[in-house]
Amino acid sequence: MLSRPLWERMVAHCLDGLPLEACGLLAGRPGAEAGSVEVLEAYPARNAAGSARLYTVEPVDLLRADRDAEARGWSLVGVWHSHTHTEAFPSPTDIAQAPDPDWHYVLVSLRDLEPSLRSYRIVGQDVAEEEVLVRGWCSPAR
Amino acid sequence: MAVEVRLPNIFRPVAAGRASVRAEGATVGEVFEDLVRQYPELRASLLTPEGELHRHLNVFVNDDDIRYLGKLDAKVNDEDIVTLMPAVAGGA
């Protein structure tokens, strides 16, 4: 669950990053349903990899986001990044490098004219898509 | 020197669930040796088999990334905060 301004910030950051992949971090708190999360902040980050096919969240941006989230009583709950050429599904690299099974991994595909935002949980090699609810929109965002 | 080491979620199970632990050393390398003495299961997450800094780990002394402070030779002072964070990376 997230607000429409945060959804727009995430997508806008991905568009701003073109032609390179863009990334950012999500902070929030557990949602009402088991396993769900309420996203309360989205921190755009620099892509230290400077690549159209890879991303690495700039370490200092990661630290700053973590500190800010902690100061506000939240925690980092996930990461988003763009796929500039492919669909919004985790790549083998995304799966291999997913550090935290409790995180939410959000993909924004810019392959088509309309950006597509989807979210996944990644536990080991298992990938499960989860519903993204945008407050103010009555249907899941895709 | 005694420092506070902040652990990311994924390291906490090996430290009885604690978010931060105490460790001693004058450099990050020495702090890591003390951490591994206390929590041997952490070694593979901190260091390569050759004893180098694990490439998927970010380490900060207070607000500074140790990659710019000499990596494992980075000095620490009493009551510094050493923050460990796994690299967040991937790609299409």
Side-chain angles (χ1 to χ4, degrees), chain A residues 21 53-57 59 62-63 66-67 79 86 91 93-94 97 99-100, chain B residues 6 9-10 56 58 60 62-63 65 67 83 85-92:
Chain A
E21 282 200 9
R53 295 196 174 273
L54 296 171
Y55 80 95
T56 300
V57 173
L62 175 62
L63 180 72
D66 188 59
R67 293 261 174 89
V79 59
T86 57
S91 68
T93 313
D94 293 332
Q97 298 192 28
D100 193 329
Chain B
R6 293 191 177 171
N9 282 337
I10 58 169
H56 291 311
N58 295 308
F60 303 92
N62 301 321
D63 292 339
D65 187 334
R67 288 179 305 162
T83 304
M85 302 188 83
V88 180

Side-chain angles (χ1 to χ4, degrees), chain A residues 12-123:
Chain A
H13 181 59
C14 291
L15 290 169
D16 284 345
L18 283 171
L20 305 181
E21 282 200 9
C23 54
L25 296 153
L26 302 171
R29 59 189 172 204
E33 287 182 36
S36 71
V37 68
E38 185 178 5
V39 175
L40 297 165
E41 188 58 278
Y43 304 96
R46 290 167 287 175
N47 178 3
S51 163
R53 295 196 174 273
L54 296 171
Y55 80 95
T56 300
V57 173
E58 171 62 36
V60 169
D61 295 349
L62 175 62
L63 180 72
R64 286 187 185 135
D66 188 59
R67 293 261 174 89
D68 185 75
E70 186 182 8
R72 295 161 82 176
W74 307 330
S75 58
L76 292 185
V77 295
V79 59
W80 88 87
H81 76 278
S82 58
H83 279 183
T84 60
H85 302 84
T86 57
E87 64 178 326
F89 189 83
S91 68
T93 313
D94 293 332
I95 296 166
Q97 298 192 28
D100 193 329
D102 291 330
W103 269 22
H104 302 259
Y105 292 87
V106 175
L107 276 296
V108 177
S109 172
L110 304 177
R111 183 186 61 178
D112 304 320
L113 186 61
E114 286 291 320
S116 159
L117 184 149
R118 296 165 73 170
S119 184
Y120 301 87
R121 308 298 294 271
I122 302 174
V123 181

Side-chain angles (χ1 to χ4, degrees), chain B residues 2-72:
Chain B
V3 301
E4 176 185 341
V5 182
R6 293 191 177 171
L7 303 175
N9 282 337
I10 58 169
F11 291 180
R12 292 176 191 174
V14 304
R18 285 192 282 269
S20 70
V21 296
R22 304 287 296 178
E24 301 213 349
T27 64
V28 169
E30 291 178 12
V31 167
F32 277 17
E33 284 176 24
D34 190 35
L35 276 178
V36 171
R37 250 192 309 276
Q38 298 180 63
Y39 310 104
E41 288 173 75
L42 272 183
R43 191 189 187 286
S45 301
L46 303 180
L47 300 165
T48 66
E50 295 75 32
E52 301 292 325
L53 182 65
H54 196 298
R55 72 185 182 96
H56 291 311
L57 182 68
N58 295 308
V59 184
F60 303 92
V61 175
N62 301 321
D63 292 339
D64 298 316
D65 187 334
I66 67 162
R67 288 179 305 162
Y68 306 111
L69 300 173
K71 297 185 178 177
L72 293 175

